[in-house]
Amino acid sequence: MRRANLKSDSQRPAETEATEGLLREFRKYVTSIPIFGSWLTASVVVGLSGPFGTYLTLSLVDRLAFWSLVFALSVPFGFLTRLLMLRITPGPMNLAGVLFQAFLFTVLYFPVLNWCTSGLSDGSSSLPDWALFTAVFVSSLCVTMLRIAIDPPVRQGPRLAQRLDLPEHVRILRISAKDHFVSVHCDDGQVHRVRMRFSDAVNEMEGVSGFCSHRSHWVARRAITGAERVGSREVLHVRDGGEVPIGRKYRPDLVAAGVL
């Protein structure tokens, strides 16, 4: 009997996939109409008005450049806030969630804005901290509501998860087929049985790194914990404690991917 621990082999691609997905989400966030439009509008309006004494101390070009940079710094904080909110409330946000998101962003971004604007004026034209904090909160609230109105949240995850209406925090570990039904095994311990073709189920897992190890079995790469040979038969061990057979036809693909 031979068993190989594949934790390091399966973990690296999963981490790479997560990083690439995060970067894609960040690019999508930055280029969305509400975020880009809010940044451009705020930069122009504040640059023209010249608060904190910048109207007198900086030229128009310098003001526009300065405030564009200051507001650009808010974008990563906005993205971080959105990620934290998805962790706290995976589903659609209600009014309390919108208010909390705006407050959380303000707490994170306010020190940066306060530091950027400190020392710009002699104090006669500067806002007290509470007024600046309130202004950031209200602005964040407006941007959040605008983003929800223009770009409503779209359910993430593979189409098969959407078909089964799985909660967003639930991940599909493996798929198996028998007769005309497909069994979908999830990391919450639930097994969903649905009438559909196995090939269609695999196609609906597009975007998730995984392998067909057998003509009727598919397994997500991040779910693989090891492999074992029992006599002439090889199996993959899955995170939920299950075993997935390895077909001779599919073995070369698993070897080429570094799984075996």
Side-chain angles (χ1 to χ4, degrees):
M1 183 181 296
R2 177 177 61 86
R3 181 166 181 163
N5 186 354
L6 303 179
K7 185 175 181 180
S8 59
D9 289 336
S10 60
Q11 208 170 33
R12 280 194 297 269
E15 292 172 352
T16 302
E17 179 186 342
T19 302
E20 291 176 351
L22 188 63
L23 291 175
R24 285 195 299 270
E25 284 297 313
F26 181 70
R27 287 194 295 268
K28 181 179 177 181
Y29 177 84
V30 171
T31 56
S32 65
I33 294 177
I35 301 303
F36 181 77
S38 299
W39 168 79
L40 183 61
T41 302
S43 300
V44 173
V45 172
V46 177
L48 292 175
S49 59
F52 300 97
T54 55
Y55 189 85
L56 299 175
T57 58
L58 299 176
S59 66
L60 175 59
V61 174
D62 290 339
R63 290 199 307 272
L64 291 173
F66 173 77
W67 288 110
S68 296
L69 177 60
V70 170
F71 291 126
L73 293 174
S74 70
V75 176
F77 287 97
F79 183 69
L80 175 61
T81 303
R82 183 166 177 261
L83 291 181
L84 292 174
M85 289 302 298
L86 287 175
R87 291 275 186 174
I88 298 171
T89 57
M93 283 193 298
N94 53 22
L95 179 58
V98 172
L99 292 171
F100 181 73
Q101 177 170 321
F103 176 77
L104 182 60
F105 169 81
T106 305
V107 170
L108 294 174
Y109 179 62
F110 175 75
V112 177
L113 180 62
N114 197 35
W115 178 80
C116 290
T117 57
S118 61
L120 288 178
S121 65
D122 57 6
S124 58
S125 57
S126 62
L127 291 173
D129 287 348
W130 67 266
L132 184 59
F133 188 93
T134 302
V136 174
F137 174 76
V138 172
S139 300
S140 174
L141 184 61
C142 292
V143 172
T144 302
M145 296 180 70
L146 179 64
R147 189 175 189 279
I148 293 175
I150 296 180
D151 187 19
V154 178
R155 182 183 176 89
Q156 301 297 315
R159 285 177 291 148
L160 184 58
Q162 298 177 31
R163 173 194 289 269
L164 299 174
D165 197 25
L166 299 179
E168 292 198 15
H169 67 278
V170 174
R171 298 292 179 264
I172 296 175
L173 301 180
R174 57 191 176 100
I175 304 169
S176 60
K178 185 176 181 180
D179 298 328
H180 299 291
F181 290 87
V182 168
S183 296
V184 182
H185 301 253
C186 302
D187 62 359
D188 62 350
Q190 299 294 316
V191 180
H192 303 268
R193 197 162 180 259
V194 58
R195 186 181 179 90
M196 65 185 303
R197 294 189 304 178
F198 176 72
S199 59
D200 291 339
V202 172
N203 288 335
E204 291 192 5
M205 288 301 295
E206 182 182 5
V208 178
S209 178
F211 308 95
C212 281
S213 65
H214 188 272
R215 64 179 182 179
S216 57
H217 291 272
W218 178 94
V219 59
R221 180 158 197 163
R222 68 177 62 192
I224 301 172
T225 59
E228 185 176 14
R229 178 184 290 276
V230 183
S232 61
R233 191 172 72 98
E234 282 185 302
V235 297
L236 294 174
H237 290 272
V238 189
R239 207 168 66 200
D240 63 352
E243 294 182 352
V244 177
I246 300 174
R248 187 174 302 174
K249 173 183 175 182
Y250 302 91
R251 193 179 192 280
D253 294 335
L254 296 172
V255 172
V259 175
L260 296 178

